[in-house]
Amino acid sequence: MKKIRVLTIGHSYVVAANRTFIHELANDPRFEITMVAPEKMDAALRSIEYEKPEINNLRIITLAVRFTKKIHFFMYRGLDEVIKPGAYDFIHLWEEPYIFSGYQIAKKAKRAGIPYFFVTYQNLNKRYPFPFSYFERYVLKHCKFWVTGAKLVRETLLKRDYPATKNKMIPLSINDNIFYPAKDAAEKESIKRELGLSGKLICFLGRIVSDKGIDILLPALENIKEPFSLLILGAGPEQEKVELWVSRHRLQDRVKILLAKHHEVPRFLRACDIVVAPSQTMSNWVEQFGRMLVEAFASEVAVIGSTSGEIPHVIGDAGLVVNEKDINAWTKAISKLLSDDQFRMDLAAKGRARYLEHFQMSEVTRLYIELYQSMLK
């Protein structure tokens, strides 16, 4: 049987955790998949070189890239050697349509006569200036499908006249082999001791910036009566503010700030009791998905999220959703989970069940297989 030849390309593939579903698809004997990723990306928290491991049945190409600190201008080098007429049956493009790299790939695909679909997470109703408006129109005009992983993204883009008949909904997924619950209380306590923390552990995962709600979380925690420890997995421009807050409240033995590598995060999550996502809606940004929530679900950790963007849709009834700017409500929600062990564990179990039903790797892979088959019709 002749295999279906697929080229998938995206800057997020530089991180191993972001290409798990591609590994799963590559295990399907019907497909011959080539993946293109940057050699290196300058991300918000640090510079990231292409992360291994590799798998035998996936062809991998790493390309040099330019302007990675300005994502709208970011571009690949050497694409002409990859995208050639007749080389692939179709292209799976994971770049936004309004940035140069999305347009760059779409244009080369059209010239090579190779159909493509693209993945987007733009959930703000934006009108782009030239040339980005032109990039978006070009990529959308020539695509076979456009894929969204979030309800708000789809609703927003339909209002901008993206064709509904070309849309497919496929959520983000995470690695089932990495994110899973702690086997017992002893494992949780062992990891906490390694971190130098104890008691009920709250985790904030992401960039330490106002957008992610650090300015809401800190004052909310000041009014918590129950004992707790706080693990912040990330870095950012407001880290110094957090460190001053820790010092002012004499919490040095209860707060740990750690810029963990991607492969370290799952183990630390297993030690946590609560994951908080107090993201804030800004004029130019709103939470696009909330990947940390799904990671917490898979790890069977109770979650509290804000009302920003996609977060309420991701959480559903499997966690607590709090008004993003209501500090008092955040205090009450955190206190409730710290003080009521049974409620917290029941909520964590509901999160795990929601992960298995909606976000498990096998389900996401199935949806992509259906899309791949649709590309051939």
Side-chain angles (χ1 to χ4, degrees):
M1 181 180 66
K2 184 180 178 181
K3 291 191 174 186
I4 300 168
R5 299 165 303 160
V6 182
L7 172 66
T8 182
I9 179 170
H11 70 269
S12 65
Y13 292 149
V14 73
V15 175
N18 292 337
R19 52 182 190 261
T20 305
F21 75 98
I22 294 298
H23 292 173
E24 290 294 313
L25 288 166
N27 287 326
D28 191 311
R30 291 171 290 183
F31 303 120
E32 179 183 287
I33 297 181
T34 299
M35 184 190 74
V36 174
E39 293 176 347
K40 181 180 179 180
M41 286 291 293
D42 293 314
L45 299 181
R46 62 171 179 267
S47 181
I48 304 173
E49 294 188 1
Y50 177 81
E51 295 178 351
K52 296 182 177 181
E54 315 294 10
I55 63 172
N56 294 330
N57 50 355
L58 176 65
R59 181 184 177 220
I60 296 168
I61 300 173
T62 56
L63 294 180
V65 291
R66 299 183 66 189
F67 311 125
T68 60
K69 289 186 178 180
K70 297 181 178 180
I71 196 65
H72 286 75
F73 300 95
F74 153 73
M75 65 173 64
Y76 292 90
R77 303 183 70 178
L79 276 180
D80 287 335
E81 295 302 310
V82 178
I83 303 177
K84 298 178 179 180
Y88 308 99
D89 293 303
F90 60 85
I91 296 174
H92 172 168
L93 167 55
W94 199 338
E95 300 289 2
E96 291 289 347
Y98 54 85
I99 67 175
F100 180 77
S101 62
Y103 167 72
Q104 178 190 25
I105 297 163
K107 188 173 183 180
K108 291 186 183 298
K110 185 174 183 296
R111 285 181 175 176
I114 304 174
Y116 67 88
F117 70 87
F118 68 87
V119 181
T120 177
Y121 273 85
Q122 177 54 269
N123 58 2
L124 290 178
N125 194 344
K126 290 185 176 182
R127 298 292 175 179
Y128 305 104
F130 184 85
F132 308 107
S133 57
Y134 173 74
F135 297 162
E136 181 186 34
R137 288 196 305 271
Y138 184 96
V139 176
L140 182 60
K141 178 181 178 181
H142 298 291
C143 76
K144 294 295 183 183
F145 297 103
W146 53 283
V147 175
T148 52
K151 183 175 183 290
L152 184 58
V153 175
R154 184 178 191 275
E155 292 174 352
T156 299
L157 295 179
L158 288 177
K159 291 176 183 176
R160 298 194 58 236
D161 297 325
Y162 276 51
T165 55
K166 288 187 175 184
N167 177 240
K168 301 289 184 181
M169 284 281 291
I170 304 179
L172 285 175
S173 60
I174 59 174
N175 192 333
D176 306 303
N177 299 318
I178 297 176
F179 289 95
Y180 52 84
K183 61 183 179 181
D184 51 34
E187 181 185 3
K188 293 174 73 78
E189 293 305 315
S190 175
I191 301 171
K192 288 179 186 179
R193 286 195 299 271
E194 177 186 321
L195 291 166
L197 300 171
S198 60
K200 302 291 192 310
L201 182 56
I202 302 168
C203 179
F204 173 94
L205 176 59
R207 292 175 293 119
I208 307 177
V209 291
S210 297
D211 306 29
K212 291 293 185 177
I214 198 69
D215 294 331
I216 297 294
L217 178 63
L218 298 184
L221 292 174
E222 290 176 8
N223 298 317
I224 299 290
K225 302 292 190 255
E226 296 79 9
F228 69 89
S229 291
L230 174 65
L231 174 63
I232 298 178
L233 294 176
E238 297 199 27
Q239 181 169 334
E240 185 177 353
K241 178 192 294 185
V242 177
E243 292 169 346
L244 289 172
W245 179 84
V246 170
S247 177
R248 185 168 66 251
H249 292 279
R250 299 179 182 179
L251 295 172
Q252 290 89 338
D253 61 336
R254 292 169 56 191
V255 178
K256 178 87 170 182
I257 303 174
L258 182 64
L259 179 54
K261 295 181 179 178
H262 290 91
H263 70 271
E264 298 174 321
V265 170
R267 184 165 179 270
F268 293 140
L269 266 184
R270 287 196 285 277
C272 299
D273 298 284
I274 304 168
V275 165
V276 291
S279 299
Q280 300 292 296
T281 299
M282 303 294 182
S283 60
N284 62 343
W285 181 86
V286 62
E287 187 64 68
Q288 293 178 313
F289 187 75
R291 189 187 186 102
M292 78 293 286
L293 297 168
V294 178
E295 293 172 346
F297 284 162
S299 305
E300 204 163 331
V301 177
V303 305
I304 308 174
S306 76
T307 49
S308 178
E310 193 68 16
I311 287 179
H313 302 299
V314 172
I315 291 179
D317 64 351
L320 301 182
V321 177
V322 180
N323 185 294
E324 58 187 83
K325 299 190 183 300
D326 191 337
I327 294 174
N328 185 52
W330 273 95
T331 298
K332 289 181 178 178
I334 295 170
S335 293
K336 173 66 175 174
L337 292 187
L338 289 173
S339 62
D340 192 334
D341 290 346
Q342 189 59 54
F343 178 68
R344 186 183 67 254
M345 289 187 291
D346 289 345
L347 207 60
K350 289 181 72 173
R352 175 70 181 173
R354 183 167 176 79
Y355 159 73
L356 292 173
E357 182 178 358
H358 297 287
F359 305 107
Q360 193 172 22
M361 182 60 62
S362 59
E363 174 61 13
V364 172
T365 302
R366 181 187 68 79
L367 292 172
Y368 267 111
I369 288 173
E370 288 183 357
L371 175 55
Y372 280 13
Q373 292 170 333
S374 296
M375 287 293 293
L376 301 176
K377 293 180 180 178

